[in-house]
Amino acid sequence: MADCIFCKIIARQVPSEIIYEDDLTVAFKDVNPQAPTHLLIVPKKHIAGLSACGADDTALLGHMQMVAVAVAEKAGVASGYRLVTNNGRAAGQSVDHLHYHLLGGRCMQWPPG
Ligand code: AMP
């Protein structure tokens, strides 16, 4: 997608601190971190968000979660982290390219705001 910031990061057209990459995903540091560790796990395939996924994306979604486990380990937060996706404006989604936030390195509150 020409105007998608995450597609541009994936294509290396916009700089980012990429900490993991495989055939299907990239993970990079959030530019506006909300925790000492704040990573984004993003599919290379442009999908607008979770509710835009189809049945053929099921394996990709599972893969993204397993990538989250691996990058949490790599980032040193495996003992406790939060994995979340904001779906839709009302939930706080600001970038219309599916992504999981991986937050760690501090105590988390519940319920989230
Ligand atoms: P959301 O609001 O859930 O859609 O999350 C989008 C996230 O992308 C926010 O936490 C932003 O800080 C982050 N973000 C936006 N642009 C960039 C960028 N160029 N590099 C890294 N993170 C970004």
Side-chain angles (χ1 to χ4, degrees):
M1 285 277 285
D3 290 333
C4 172
I5 186 70
F6 288 175
C7 285
K8 289 179 179 174
I9 288 172
I10 292 161
R12 306 310 204 267
Q13 294 167 356
V14 166
S16 180
E17 284 192 71
I18 293 176
I19 57 113
Y20 175 88
E21 180 169 20
D22 63 26
D23 289 348
L24 299 174
T25 65
V26 295
F28 51 88
K29 293 186 180 181
D30 195 295
V31 76
N32 182 24
Q34 302 300 310
T37 295
H38 187 172
L39 306 173
L40 300 173
I41 296 124
V42 176
K44 290 184 173 177
K45 175 183 177 183
H46 181 89
I47 305 171
L50 187 61
S51 54
C53 290
D56 56 337
D57 297 313
T58 302
L60 175 62
L61 289 165
H63 180 71
M64 289 172 66
Q65 292 183 57
M66 294 310 295
V67 168
V69 172
V71 297
E73 181 80 35
K74 188 174 177 180
V77 297
S79 63
Y81 55 88
R82 182 168 292 169
L83 189 67
V84 63
T85 189
N86 297 322
N87 187 75
R89 291 289 175 269
Q93 183 177 6
S94 61
V95 176
D96 291 335
H97 183 131
L98 176 65
H99 51 283
Y100 284 129
H101 297 257
L102 192 156
L103 299 143
R106 65 168 170 82
C107 289
M108 299 290 158
Q109 304 299 314
W110 193 262

